[in-house]
Amino acid sequence: MATRTAAQQRADAKLAYDAYVAECPTRQLLDRISDKWVSLLINALAEQPQRYGDLSRRVAGISQKMLTQTLRAMERDGLVSRTVTLAVPVRVEYALTPLGRGLLPVMRAIMSWAEANMDEVLAARSDYDSANGT
Amino acid sequence: MATRTAAQQRADAKLAYDAYVAECPTRQLLDRISDKWVSLLINALAEQPQRYGDLSRRVAGISQKMLTQTLRAMERDGLVSRTVTLAVPVRVEYALTPLGRGLLPVMRAIMSWAEANMDEVLAARSDYDSANGT
DNA sequence: CGGGATCCGTCACGATACTG
DNA sequence: CAGTATCGTGACGGATCCCG
């Protein structure tokens, strides 16, 4: 329970002391989209609707906790749908909603940029590192 | 020193256990871009080059620690430049590099999507919340 | 003074174990 | 198979101090 509550109170706190957020509510959404796991999950689900275990393997680095937590948050925001098929092994399938699917072009744009400029970033990175010794 | 080291070891650890990352190095970049503060700072710096204190006020919710840390990471990746003008009060100005400026269209796309679909997300959110009671 | 490093408390995260 | 509960670590925010 502490998980979502914590995220919530951070958002609330921000709204309280950050006028910039208040006059531009899209910051909340940008925060949600700018989540590491959200972007990965959206891309994963873009290929096809997938089950919990599939996503767990597809994204690989994610823990069950964060997978559940992120999936819940995305479901709450209407980005993904959660379909439970009651069977002997319970089957839960996650899929992108039309709303979530609308994020795909944006995600693809990010991926494209990353692919195109990866080497430049790597160069800058090693450059910076060599300048700082360690 | 623990700051950059931490970010480093996370990246290293990921490369070690995540095969999906290995075959698609753009994931590292997506991680960097998908950072909450990075996106806000890019947007802030897009308007104009700004000093440390300006950014601190502009982004508001950010702590000095995270501001410095994120700025360093972005500088390392060649997204921003750090110019120190030696004067009585030291003047440090941060600006987007051409590489970082290339991220602007993507960021603007995200912002546009957020603006366009904000109400839908909010609706889904309250819908979900009312279904869950608390 | 402005820029930033350091210390500390807290909370979010990751790994593991357990349940329906 | 899909999740929840528990626990340890470390990342983050806040305050303080330092340096040019």
Side-chain angles (χ1 to χ4, degrees):
Chain A
M1 178 100 330
T3 40
R4 214 200 69 229
T5 303
Q8 268 299 84
Q9 70 187 11
R10 280 182 69 188
D12 291 348
K14 248 207 150 178
L15 278 174
Y17 62 72
D18 189 358
Y20 193 52
V21 169
E23 59 179 298
C24 181
T26 61
R27 297 293 180 195
Q28 303 172 36
L29 256 188
L30 192 133
D31 262 30
R32 173 65 29 98
I33 298 172
S34 289
D35 183 85
K36 170 187 179 180
W37 299 125
V38 168
S39 52
L40 285 174
L41 284 174
I42 293 231
N43 273 283
L45 287 174
E47 303 162 356
Q48 59 189 301
Q50 287 177 56
R51 301 172 59 181
Y52 186 89
D54 295 334
L55 287 171
S56 179
R57 276 181 294 275
R58 186 76 169 95
V59 177
I62 198 170
S63 62
Q64 285 106 326
K65 186 177 184 178
M66 286 317 290
L67 181 54
T68 302
Q69 186 174 318
T70 308
L71 245 19
R72 288 269 194 282
M74 291 170 74
E75 185 194 1
R76 190 170 101 99
D77 285 358
L79 298 177
V80 302
S81 64
R82 181 173 176 273
T83 311
V84 181
T85 308
L86 223 45
V88 183
V90 189
R91 182 189 181 88
V92 181
E93 197 167 67
Y94 292 91
L96 245 42
T97 62
L99 184 61
R101 196 169 303 276
L103 269 174
L104 269 179
V106 179
M107 292 301 174
R108 300 230 191 268
I110 296 183
M111 302 294 284
S112 298
W113 184 91
E115 284 175 13
N117 299 279
M118 188 66 194
D119 49 355
E120 236 183 301
V121 170
L122 286 178
R125 206 175 283 188
S126 61
D127 202 33
Y128 181 93
D129 287 348
S130 62
N132 282 33
T134 305
Chain B
M1 181 93 339
T3 39
R4 216 202 65 233
T5 302
Q8 267 300 84
Q9 69 188 13
R10 279 182 70 188
D12 291 346
K14 250 211 148 173
L15 279 176
Y17 62 71
D18 191 355
Y20 192 51
V21 169
E23 58 178 300
C24 182
T26 60
R27 296 292 180 195
Q28 304 171 35
L29 256 187
L30 192 133
D31 263 31
R32 172 65 27 100
I33 298 172
S34 290
D35 183 85
K36 170 186 177 181
W37 299 123
V38 169
S39 52
L40 286 174
L41 284 174
I42 294 234
N43 272 285
L45 286 174
E47 303 163 356
Q48 59 189 299
Q50 287 177 57
R51 301 174 57 180
Y52 186 90
D54 294 334
L55 288 171
S56 179
R57 277 179 295 274
R58 187 74 169 96
V59 177
I62 198 170
S63 62
Q64 288 103 326
K65 185 178 186 177
M66 287 315 292
L67 181 53
T68 302
Q69 187 174 319
T70 308
L71 245 19
R72 287 270 194 280
M74 292 170 74
E75 185 193 2
R76 189 170 101 99
D77 285 359
L79 298 177
V80 302
S81 63
R82 181 173 177 273
T83 310
V84 182
T85 307
L86 224 45
V88 184
V90 190
R91 183 188 181 87
V92 181
E93 196 167 66
Y94 292 92
L96 245 42
T97 62
L99 184 61
R101 197 170 301 276
L103 268 174
L104 269 179
V106 179
M107 292 300 175
R108 301 231 189 268
I110 295 182
M111 302 293 284
S112 298
W113 184 91
E115 283 175 12
N117 299 278
M118 187 67 194
D119 49 356
E120 238 183 299
V121 169
L122 286 178
R125 206 176 283 189
S126 60
D127 202 32
Y128 181 93
D129 286 349
S130 63
N132 283 34
T134 306

